[in-house]
Amino acid sequence: MGWKFTEAAFKDLIVKLKADYTILGPKRFVGQGRFSDTDLIRYDEIESLDEIVWNEKSTFSPKEVVFPITQTLFYFIEEKFLEPKLDENKILIFLRPCDINGIRRLDTIHLRNGPQSDSYYAQLRERVRFVMMECMEGFDTCFCVSMKSNITSDYDMAVRFGDDEVLAEVKNDDFTRYFSLDLPRVEFTPGFVQENTIKVTVPDGGEISAGIYNHDMWNEYKSRCIACGRCNTTCITCSCHTTTDIFYDDNMRAGERRRTWACCHVDGFTDMAGGISFRKDNGSRMRFKVLHKIYDYNKRFGEHMCVGCGRCDDNCPEYISYSSCINRLSQVIQETDACVKIP
Amino acid sequence: MRENPMMPKPHKVIKIDLETDLESTFRIEVDTPPALGQFYMVSIPRIGEMPISISGIGPGWVDMTIRNVGKVSRAVHSLNEKSILFLRGPYGNGFPMDEFKGRHLVIAAGGSGIAPVRPLLEHYYRNPDEVDKLDLLFGFKTPDDILFRQDIDRWKSRFDTILTVDDACGIWEGECVGLITEYVKNIKLSEYDKMEIVIVGPPVMIKFTAAEFIRQGVSEERIVVSMERRMSCGLGKCGHCKISEYYICLDGPVFRYNEAVKLVD
Ligand SMILES: Cc1cc2nc3c(=O)[nH]c(=O)nc-3n(C[C@H](O)[C@H](O)[C@H](O)COP(=O)(O)OP(=O)(O)OC[C@H]3O[C@@H](n4cnc5c(N)ncnc54)[C@H](O)[C@@H]3O)c2cc1C
Ligand code: SF4
Ligand code: SF4
Ligand code: FES
């Protein structure tokens, strides 16, 4: 069973929810897009229903809600480590199934990779509730169906936006107390996109031979990729970061330890003291990223890291297509018969 | 309160020994002894953190031999005895000491790679019967780079030891000159199933030394290496140390070579 809201009733719900939640959703920033006369759509605090851009794909993912671009881990006063004061407000995010599946990948790394979970991530993450925006069509660069991340049941509420109504399914009863008593009930469960224009063939479940790592196919990216890291920053599942300390200009005895997103495509990611570094050329960085997303992570955790949101393809300034790269990789593997299926 | 794995704890520096122009060994107070081959994240507030192996273990302390190469290591080198150093850890898996028992062990270390194997050597120095035989093979760039000279002299009295320098610089009184790889064949190896080889050093040294042992008939499974990669968190979160499906900070730094050769950066 579901609920049916008129546009006015849903606007009213948002107002009521705002009393207890910080509401975040994909929002339009006019004229800030990558090309002239284009808009940027990114996650930000939502004041009213009209601000939620539900019928276009957001340029950036909602990653920064649970994993901020820069986060202070400690404030230092002399030799004292002080943890920042925790926010306690609850957070509600409007997001698509692929991004919910993507956040589950972030959970895996931050909470379950290794014996200790990341307390900063955990304390933010447990305050977050999901409103899944039904996504029946996808967009032209999406390939979530191939990545099996078009579907999720991990949401507190799911909504279908119509022209002048909103249908909702509620899984977390905490939300129904915000509904007015006369809200009409309807049959509603959300649907999911069943086919994308772009399809990728992922080399599933085999061992990749050494020949694939050294294959010519990566050479193209050597010169094409400019190591800007946009594919990493826009990716919902890229979780790498670097921790650095700073001291304040006006008081060297005080400072902070911060962590900031890091990108495996960008120079310096593997640098060690003594001038040693790995993956010096951009082709091997592309190889590293691609294999992490659709091979290494799967070997470790039993599902692919990439959720097929297509944002890396949307945002690469050099028009490198990661989805085409996966298909090419599968083809190369087939041709060279280098992928030995493990039963 | 939730436990914060990023929170370092203050530890007293008990003693500092100058080793070379660039390296010093810091003896630091700790409550619980780490496993041999593990590392700590060493922290100086407002400067940063860095991974450092344990180069010695004793009652209530650990040694760390730190090379002065950059921001954090420079700051550590400005500390004195009685200073406070911040640590979190220990992290990583350590050497498979049980699997070495009763075997003919060869420990090959290049340059500062000798630091993480020093606790192993001290362990076997005190418990020589734990292994069937122990051979040592050390290589340094020049005589001035030799670390733990007094320890090496002491170990020499109990174990067959080869100490070589790449460049004698006209001041080397030792017998061996040349790369460590050239001396692998001088070690008399036992039958296949009795051998265990430990190799620690820079990536290139590991690669060529392992190749030389393999040429002498040792199989990859009988070789153990300790790997170094860029690290930021030590906890399996930051991604810097990932190679193939492994995180060096969690699954390493110690790997069997048959596993290690399959990993691609
Ligand atoms: C498992 C492990 C054990 C190590 N053991 C020792 C040891 O016993 N003695 C010793 O002298 N050195 C050791 N190193 C190397 C040591 O961590 C680096 O020399 C140190 O990080 C340099 O930091 P810095 O701030 O002085 O230099 P900078 O060049 O200013 O380094 C900046 C940052 O780069 C990173 N970084 C630089 N080099 C390395 C590196 N080699 N490995 C990982 N991160 C790096 C650090 O995060 C550091 O904060 C070890 C490294 C690893 C991974
Ligand atoms: S790799 Fe590309 S398609 Fe896959 S989740 Fe990241 S941004 Fe989306
Ligand atoms: S966005 Fe494109 S050019 Fe930039 S790092 Fe990624 S692949 Fe390379
Ligand atoms: S050091 Fe951060 S994941 Fe290993």
Side-chain angles (χ1 to χ4, degrees):
Chain A
M1 274 302 262
W3 310 81
K4 183 173 164 175
F5 292 84
T6 59
E7 200 183 313
F10 200 79
K11 276 187 171 163
D12 185 46
L13 173 69
I14 287 191
V15 171
K16 283 190 197 147
L17 284 168
K18 275 188 74 69
D20 296 326
Y21 290 90
T22 302
I23 303 183
L24 296 151
K27 200 163 143 178
R28 181 181 307 278
F29 292 80
V30 176
Q32 293 185 17
R34 203 145 68 78
F35 302 103
S36 57
D37 301 315
T38 59
D39 302 340
L40 174 75
I41 300 169
R42 65 171 172 84
Y43 275 75
D44 198 23
E45 193 164 344
I46 295 295
E47 297 300 330
S48 86
L49 174 64
D50 311 327
E51 287 180 336
I52 302 174
V53 183
W54 55 270
N55 49 5
E56 286 176 56
K57 174 152 87 179
S58 63
T59 322
F60 286 94
S61 80
K63 170 166 79 176
E64 56 196 283
V65 178
V66 289
F67 174 40
I69 301 174
T70 295
Q71 188 169 19
T72 300
L73 304 180
F74 298 106
Y75 291 102
F76 299 122
I77 298 172
E78 307 257 342
E79 307 289 280
K80 275 207 177 61
F81 286 70
L82 304 173
E83 290 177 75
K85 199 173 144 292
L86 300 183
D87 277 341
E88 294 197 335
N89 62 321
K90 291 185 283 183
I91 299 168
L92 200 64
I93 324 181
F94 283 79
L95 74 182
R96 294 178 195 283
C98 59
D99 285 337
I100 293 180
N101 285 318
I103 290 179
R104 203 174 70 231
R105 274 45 166 193
L106 297 177
D107 292 350
T108 299
I109 294 291
H110 286 103
L111 305 176
R112 289 184 287 280
N113 195 33
Q116 286 169 295
S117 66
D118 182 319
S119 54
Y120 295 87
Y121 182 87
Q123 77 87 9
L124 236 175
R125 179 67 176 85
E126 40 187 50
R127 287 157 43 209
V128 170
R129 301 287 174 270
F130 291 146
V131 181
M132 186 187 80
M133 304 188 292
E134 184 184 58
C135 188
M136 298 283 280
E137 304 289 328
F139 301 91
D140 55 1
T141 55
C142 300
F143 51 99
C144 55
V145 178
S146 303
M147 297 314 300
K148 302 191 177 75
S149 49
N150 52 324
I151 296 174
T152 180
S153 56
D154 179 17
Y155 50 84
D156 299 275
M157 186 155 97
V159 292
R160 172 186 295 166
F161 290 107
D163 286 338
D164 43 22
E165 62 173 32
V166 179
L167 302 182
E169 185 206 2
V170 178
K171 286 199 175 182
N172 178 347
D173 288 334
D174 267 2
F175 288 100
T176 41
R177 66 194 171 91
Y178 296 92
F179 295 1
S180 45
L181 292 172
D182 55 356
L183 195 67
R185 305 296 307 256
V186 287
E187 274 309 325
F188 172 70
T189 46
F192 298 94
V193 54
Q194 296 301 330
E195 192 177 3
N196 306 119
T197 324
I198 292 188
K199 297 176 179 63
V200 301
T201 311
V202 186
D204 243 327
E207 284 289 335
I208 286 182
S209 78
I212 297 301
Y213 292 92
N214 308 322
H215 197 274
D216 272 353
M217 71 168 279
W218 307 113
N219 287 340
E220 182 189 343
Y221 307 103
K222 254 187 198 166
S223 51
R224 210 176 269 276
C225 168
I226 56 166
C228 68
R230 268 198 210 184
C231 51
N232 295 131
T233 50
T234 50
C235 176
I236 177 74
T237 69
C238 275
S239 54
C240 291
H241 55 270
T242 305
T243 302
T244 37
D245 284 13
I246 55 134
F247 48 78
Y248 303 135
D249 284 345
D250 55 351
N251 179 6
M252 281 181 55
R253 291 167 174 279
E256 284 175 40
R257 176 160 297 169
R258 294 173 180 165
R259 71 163 167 222
T260 311
W261 288 0
C263 304
C264 60
H265 266 275
V266 172
D267 289 352
F269 187 79
T270 63
D271 284 5
M272 301 204 297
I276 299 173
S277 68
F278 303 90
R279 300 191 293 281
K280 290 194 180 73
D281 72 272
N282 298 347
S284 32
R285 295 180 196 174
M286 181 73 178
R287 188 254 307 142
F288 179 81
K289 178 191 70 187
V290 169
L291 291 180
H292 182 32
K293 297 287 178 196
I294 55 132
Y295 181 67
D296 299 339
Y297 182 97
N298 184 34
K299 261 184 130 174
R300 192 172 177 93
F301 300 112
E303 67 179 351
H304 288 301
M305 189 178 211
C306 172
V307 294
C309 72
R311 288 191 182 95
C312 49
D313 286 13
D314 299 337
N315 289 292
C316 176
E318 297 298 306
Y319 304 102
I320 288 172
S321 167
Y322 159 90
S323 54
S324 311
C325 180
I326 300 180
N327 282 333
R328 179 133 171 243
L329 174 65
S330 295
Q331 201 186 343
V332 166
I333 287 174
Q334 229 173 22
E335 279 165 14
T336 55
D337 198 24
C339 192
V340 191
K341 277 273 177 204
I342 299 176
Chain B
M1 265 288 276
R2 191 195 298 280
E3 200 199 330
N4 182 348
M6 246 71 91
M7 176 69 88
K9 293 194 176 67
H11 293 261
K12 236 189 247 136
V13 178
I14 310 171
K15 182 156 95 78
I16 303 174
D17 284 326
L18 209 65
E19 303 282 356
T20 66
D21 285 352
L22 278 181
E23 283 130 328
S24 292
T25 298
F26 297 78
R27 180 156 297 179
I28 297 153
E29 222 172 69
V30 297
D31 301 337
T32 34
L36 282 69
Q38 286 191 301
F39 64 94
Y40 285 92
M41 291 302 289
V42 173
S43 193
I44 304 264
R46 307 186 296 286
I47 308 293
E49 285 190 303
M50 61 175 182
I52 297 291
S53 314
I54 295 144
S55 67
I57 304 178
W61 53 262
V62 293
D63 280 342
M64 293 185 195
T65 303
I66 301 178
R67 202 174 162 82
N68 186 351
V69 291
K71 253 175 36 185
V72 186
S73 50
R74 194 178 314 126
V76 173
H77 275 260
S78 69
L79 299 179
N80 53 42
E81 293 170 2
K82 293 195 204 53
S83 289
I84 295 292
L85 191 61
F86 289 84
L87 300 183
R88 55 189 180 87
Y91 298 123
N93 56 358
F95 291 102
M97 302 300 286
D98 281 347
E99 294 166 32
F100 295 165
K101 280 188 182 147
R103 296 280 169 81
H104 175 187
L105 186 64
V106 179
I107 297 180
S112 50
I114 194 172
V117 296
R118 185 175 175 241
L120 239 76
L121 291 164
E122 289 299 343
H123 176 83
Y124 292 123
Y125 186 79
R126 287 192 305 273
N127 309 285
D129 296 338
E130 205 178 297
V131 285
D132 182 41
K133 182 168 192 305
L134 178 59
D135 282 295
L136 308 180
L137 175 57
F138 302 127
F140 293 93
K141 278 211 176 90
T142 74
D144 284 340
D145 295 316
I146 298 177
L147 284 168
F148 313 132
R149 217 171 228 210
Q150 286 171 354
D151 296 327
I152 294 176
D153 284 341
R154 192 162 41 83
W155 298 330
K156 242 182 185 163
S157 68
R158 205 159 279 181
F159 310 116
D160 286 340
T161 304
I162 298 172
L163 173 60
T164 171
V165 292
D166 300 353
D167 182 348
C169 300
I171 53 163
W172 176 227
E173 74 284 9
E175 290 158 22
C176 305
V177 178
L179 296 177
I180 196 167
T181 45
E182 294 166 26
Y183 288 90
V184 168
K185 58 180 182 304
N186 294 22
I187 300 171
K188 198 174 166 304
L189 303 174
S190 303
E191 296 138 48
Y192 156 79
D193 59 347
K194 289 195 71 187
M195 292 306 306
E196 287 281 6
I197 317 280
V198 172
I199 308 176
V200 186
V204 195
M205 175 269 173
I206 293 183
K207 187 171 162 197
F208 289 107
T209 311
E212 200 48 49
F213 275 105
I214 291 163
R215 206 188 329 265
Q216 301 298 324
V218 177
S219 71
E220 287 175 347
E221 301 90 76
R222 295 262 87 100
I223 301 175
V224 164
V225 297
S226 178
M227 292 168 78
E228 248 187 54
R229 286 297 179 277
R230 171 71 177 264
M231 290 184 184
S232 185
C233 70
L235 296 163
K237 320 292 179 201
C238 76
H240 282 283
C241 72
K242 177 192 167 288
I243 341 184
S244 296
E245 73 270 33
Y246 294 111
Y247 291 78
I248 305 296
C249 66
L250 296 177
D251 311 311
V254 177
F255 287 90
R256 284 273 166 196
Y257 197 58
N258 55 319
E259 284 295 320
V261 282
K262 281 191 272 174
L263 308 182
V264 185
D265 280 289

mmCIF file of all heavy atoms in Angstrom, chain A residues 221 224-232 234 265-266 282 286 289 312 315-320, ligand 3:
data_model
loop_
_atom_site.group_PDB
_atom_site.id
_atom_site.type_symbol
_atom_site.label_atom_id
_atom_site.label_comp_id
_atom_site.label_asym_id
_atom_site.label_seq_id
_atom_site.Cartn_x
_atom_site.Cartn_y
_atom_site.Cartn_z
ATOM 1 N N TYR A 221 44.836 5.679 -23.234
ATOM 2 C CA TYR A 221 44.518 6.622 -22.154
ATOM 3 C C TYR A 221 45.751 7.343 -21.651
ATOM 4 O O TYR A 221 45.658 8.326 -20.938
ATOM 5 C CB TYR A 221 43.824 5.877 -21.008
ATOM 6 C CG TYR A 221 42.631 5.084 -21.481
ATOM 7 C CD1 TYR A 221 42.694 3.703 -21.643
ATOM 8 C CD2 TYR A 221 41.450 5.742 -21.814
ATOM 9 C CE1 TYR A 221 41.601 2.985 -22.102
ATOM 10 C CE2 TYR A 221 40.350 5.034 -22.278
ATOM 11 C CZ TYR A 221 40.434 3.651 -22.426
ATOM 12 O OH TYR A 221 39.355 2.948 -22.881
ATOM 13 N N ARG A 224 45.418 10.455 -23.643
ATOM 14 C CA ARG A 224 44.094 11.056 -23.629
ATOM 15 C C ARG A 224 43.708 11.581 -22.239
ATOM 16 O O ARG A 224 43.169 12.673 -22.099
ATOM 17 C CB ARG A 224 43.061 10.036 -24.108
ATOM 18 C CG ARG A 224 41.881 10.675 -24.793
ATOM 19 C CD ARG A 224 40.945 9.610 -25.315
ATOM 20 N NE ARG A 224 41.223 9.202 -26.683
ATOM 21 C CZ ARG A 224 40.768 9.842 -27.756
ATOM 22 N NH1 ARG A 224 40.019 10.909 -27.625
ATOM 23 N NH2 ARG A 224 41.039 9.402 -28.950
ATOM 24 N N CYS A 225 43.991 10.791 -21.222
ATOM 25 C CA CYS A 225 43.620 11.200 -19.857
ATOM 26 C C CYS A 225 44.589 12.267 -19.368
ATOM 27 O O CYS A 225 45.798 12.144 -19.531
ATOM 28 C CB CYS A 225 43.653 9.999 -18.920
ATOM 29 S SG CYS A 225 43.567 10.435 -17.175
ATOM 30 N N ILE A 226 44.039 13.340 -18.780
ATOM 31 C CA ILE A 226 44.897 14.426 -18.299
ATOM 32 C C ILE A 226 45.025 14.400 -16.774
ATOM 33 O O ILE A 226 45.464 15.374 -16.163
ATOM 34 C CB ILE A 226 44.383 15.795 -18.778
ATOM 35 C CG1 ILE A 226 42.921 16.007 -18.355
ATOM 36 C CG2 ILE A 226 44.535 15.937 -20.296
ATOM 37 C CD1 ILE A 226 42.428 17.447 -18.486
ATOM 38 N N ALA A 227 44.602 13.289 -16.164
ATOM 39 C CA ALA A 227 44.781 13.096 -14.715
ATOM 40 C C ALA A 227 44.116 14.187 -13.883
ATOM 41 O O ALA A 227 44.674 14.632 -12.879
ATOM 42 C CB ALA A 227 46.261 12.976 -14.367
ATOM 43 N N CYS A 228 42.928 14.608 -14.304
ATOM 44 C CA CYS A 228 42.254 15.680 -13.572
ATOM 45 C C CYS A 228 41.472 15.150 -12.374
ATOM 46 O O CYS A 228 41.181 15.881 -11.442
ATOM 47 C CB CYS A 228 41.307 16.436 -14.494
ATOM 48 S SG CYS A 228 39.893 15.441 -15.033
ATOM 49 N N GLY A 229 41.104 13.861 -12.437
ATOM 50 C CA GLY A 229 40.407 13.254 -11.304
ATOM 51 C C GLY A 229 38.907 13.524 -11.242
ATOM 52 O O GLY A 229 38.252 13.170 -10.273
ATOM 53 N N ARG A 230 38.342 14.150 -12.275
ATOM 54 C CA ARG A 230 36.893 14.412 -12.254
ATOM 55 C C ARG A 230 36.075 13.140 -12.178
ATOM 56 O O ARG A 230 35.021 13.093 -11.564
ATOM 57 C CB ARG A 230 36.485 15.127 -13.530
ATOM 58 C CG ARG A 230 36.509 16.590 -13.376
ATOM 59 C CD ARG A 230 35.694 17.167 -14.489
ATOM 60 N NE ARG A 230 36.244 18.480 -14.792
ATOM 61 C CZ ARG A 230 35.716 19.287 -15.670
ATOM 62 N NH1 ARG A 230 34.670 18.918 -16.355
ATOM 63 N NH2 ARG A 230 36.246 20.465 -15.880
ATOM 64 N N CYS A 231 36.566 12.095 -12.879
ATOM 65 C CA CYS A 231 35.845 10.821 -12.856
ATOM 66 C C CYS A 231 35.790 10.288 -11.427
ATOM 67 O O CYS A 231 34.808 9.668 -11.022
ATOM 68 C CB CYS A 231 36.506 9.810 -13.787
ATOM 69 S SG CYS A 231 38.275 9.640 -13.530
ATOM 70 N N ASN A 232 36.831 10.554 -10.636
ATOM 71 C CA ASN A 232 36.841 10.110 -9.249
ATOM 72 C C ASN A 232 35.912 10.958 -8.378
ATOM 73 O O ASN A 232 35.159 10.429 -7.554
ATOM 74 C CB ASN A 232 38.251 10.196 -8.647
ATOM 75 C CG ASN A 232 39.263 9.258 -9.301
ATOM 76 O OD1 ASN A 232 40.356 9.682 -9.658
ATOM 77 N ND2 ASN A 232 38.930 7.994 -9.454
ATOM 78 N N THR A 234 33.331 12.760 -9.181
ATOM 79 C CA THR A 234 31.895 12.676 -9.450
ATOM 80 C C THR A 234 31.355 11.273 -9.183
ATOM 81 O O THR A 234 30.147 11.080 -9.159
ATOM 82 C CB THR A 234 31.569 13.055 -10.910
ATOM 83 O OG1 THR A 234 32.433 12.317 -11.781
ATOM 84 C CG2 THR A 234 31.746 14.528 -11.152
ATOM 85 N N HIS A 265 43.515 8.863 -10.073
ATOM 86 C CA HIS A 265 43.966 9.352 -11.392
ATOM 87 C C HIS A 265 44.958 10.498 -11.270
ATOM 88 O O HIS A 265 45.638 10.849 -12.230
ATOM 89 C CB HIS A 265 42.770 9.848 -12.218
ATOM 90 C CG HIS A 265 42.189 8.811 -13.131
ATOM 91 N ND1 HIS A 265 42.679 8.568 -14.394
ATOM 92 C CD2 HIS A 265 41.168 7.952 -12.965
ATOM 93 C CE1 HIS A 265 41.972 7.607 -14.971
ATOM 94 N NE2 HIS A 265 41.051 7.211 -14.120
ATOM 95 N N VAL A 266 44.988 11.137 -10.100
ATOM 96 C CA VAL A 266 45.748 12.388 -9.960
ATOM 97 C C VAL A 266 47.182 12.106 -9.492
ATOM 98 O O VAL A 266 47.414 11.185 -8.715
ATOM 99 C CB VAL A 266 45.008 13.334 -8.983
ATOM 100 C CG1 VAL A 266 45.836 14.563 -8.652
ATOM 101 C CG2 VAL A 266 43.669 13.765 -9.586
ATOM 102 N N ASN A 282 49.228 7.819 -17.155
ATOM 103 C CA ASN A 282 47.783 7.901 -16.949
ATOM 104 C C ASN A 282 47.036 6.684 -17.472
ATOM 105 O O ASN A 282 45.914 6.403 -17.053
ATOM 106 C CB ASN A 282 47.245 9.174 -17.594
ATOM 107 C CG ASN A 282 47.861 10.411 -16.965
ATOM 108 O OD1 ASN A 282 48.489 10.314 -15.913
ATOM 109 N ND2 ASN A 282 47.697 11.560 -17.603
ATOM 110 N N MET A 286 44.131 4.587 -15.421
ATOM 111 C CA MET A 286 42.825 4.192 -15.958
ATOM 112 C C MET A 286 42.622 2.697 -15.715
ATOM 113 O O MET A 286 41.567 2.259 -15.249
ATOM 114 C CB MET A 286 42.773 4.494 -17.463
ATOM 115 C CG MET A 286 41.456 4.162 -18.128
ATOM 116 S SD MET A 286 40.165 5.348 -17.669
ATOM 117 C CE MET A 286 38.795 4.726 -18.625
ATOM 118 N N LYS A 289 41.861 2.061 -12.040
ATOM 119 C CA LYS A 289 40.500 2.442 -11.648
ATOM 120 C C LYS A 289 39.475 1.457 -12.193
ATOM 121 O O LYS A 289 38.621 0.969 -11.457
ATOM 122 C CB LYS A 289 40.172 3.858 -12.137
ATOM 123 C CG LYS A 289 38.757 4.288 -11.795
ATOM 124 C CD LYS A 289 38.343 5.567 -12.501
ATOM 125 C CE LYS A 289 38.179 5.324 -13.993
ATOM 126 N NZ LYS A 289 37.932 6.571 -14.733
ATOM 127 N N CYS A 312 31.015 9.410 -14.573
ATOM 128 C CA CYS A 312 32.406 9.574 -15.036
ATOM 129 C C CYS A 312 32.414 9.899 -16.524
ATOM 130 O O CYS A 312 33.194 10.727 -16.983
ATOM 131 C CB CYS A 312 33.235 8.330 -14.720
ATOM 132 S SG CYS A 312 32.482 6.787 -15.200
ATOM 133 N N ASN A 315 31.288 13.553 -17.200
ATOM 134 C CA ASN A 315 32.122 14.653 -16.714
ATOM 135 C C ASN A 315 33.556 14.666 -17.203
ATOM 136 O O ASN A 315 34.295 15.595 -16.904
ATOM 137 C CB ASN A 315 32.107 14.656 -15.184
ATOM 138 C CG ASN A 315 30.753 15.100 -14.660
ATOM 139 O OD1 ASN A 315 30.380 16.255 -14.807
ATOM 140 N ND2 ASN A 315 29.997 14.172 -14.108
ATOM 141 N N CYS A 316 33.990 13.633 -17.909
ATOM 142 C CA CYS A 316 35.381 13.606 -18.350
ATOM 143 C C CYS A 316 35.616 14.690 -19.399
ATOM 144 O O CYS A 316 34.954 14.720 -20.427
ATOM 145 C CB CYS A 316 35.735 12.245 -18.942
ATOM 146 S SG CYS A 316 37.415 12.226 -19.597
ATOM 147 N N PRO A 317 36.549 15.624 -19.157
ATOM 148 C CA PRO A 317 36.791 16.709 -20.117
ATOM 149 C C PRO A 317 37.425 16.206 -21.404
ATOM 150 O O PRO A 317 37.445 16.924 -22.408
ATOM 151 C CB PRO A 317 37.754 17.640 -19.368
ATOM 152 C CG PRO A 317 38.443 16.770 -18.387
ATOM 153 C CD PRO A 317 37.456 15.702 -17.997
ATOM 154 N N GLU A 318 37.948 14.993 -21.380
ATOM 155 C CA GLU A 318 38.607 14.442 -22.573
ATOM 156 C C GLU A 318 37.696 13.444 -23.291
ATOM 157 O O GLU A 318 38.142 12.692 -24.154
ATOM 158 C CB GLU A 318 39.915 13.755 -22.164
ATOM 159 C CG GLU A 318 40.922 14.712 -21.552
ATOM 160 C CD GLU A 318 41.352 15.795 -22.533
ATOM 161 O OE1 GLU A 318 41.783 15.442 -23.638
ATOM 162 O OE2 GLU A 318 41.221 16.990 -22.179
ATOM 163 N N TYR A 319 36.454 13.395 -22.892
ATOM 164 C CA TYR A 319 35.469 12.493 -23.501
ATOM 165 C C TYR A 319 35.920 11.030 -23.458
ATOM 166 O O TYR A 319 35.695 10.275 -24.395
ATOM 167 C CB TYR A 319 35.139 12.919 -24.940
ATOM 168 C CG TYR A 319 34.666 14.344 -25.003
ATOM 169 C CD1 TYR A 319 35.508 15.361 -25.423
ATOM 170 C CD2 TYR A 319 33.374 14.682 -24.588
ATOM 171 C CE1 TYR A 319 35.094 16.688 -25.428
ATOM 172 C CE2 TYR A 319 32.950 15.999 -24.589
ATOM 173 C CZ TYR A 319 33.798 16.991 -25.013
ATOM 174 O OH TYR A 319 33.386 18.289 -25.006
ATOM 175 N N ILE A 320 36.568 10.653 -22.376
ATOM 176 C CA ILE A 320 36.912 9.234 -22.201
ATOM 177 C C ILE A 320 35.659 8.527 -21.705
ATOM 178 O O ILE A 320 35.004 8.985 -20.768
ATOM 179 C CB ILE A 320 38.067 9.076 -21.185
ATOM 180 C CG1 ILE A 320 39.369 9.570 -21.814
ATOM 181 C CG2 ILE A 320 38.201 7.636 -20.718
ATOM 182 C CD1 ILE A 320 40.532 9.656 -20.862
HETATM 183 S S1 SF4 C 3 37.890 12.579 -15.859
HETATM 184 FE FE1 SF4 C 3 38.837 11.787 -17.765
HETATM 185 S S2 SF4 C 3 40.724 13.022 -18.040
HETATM 186 FE FE2 SF4 C 3 40.030 13.337 -15.913
HETATM 187 S S3 SF4 C 3 41.159 11.782 -14.734
HETATM 188 FE FE3 SF4 C 3 39.187 10.841 -15.281
HETATM 189 S S4 SF4 C 3 39.560 9.743 -17.190
HETATM 190 FE FE4 SF4 C 3 41.306 11.152 -16.903
#
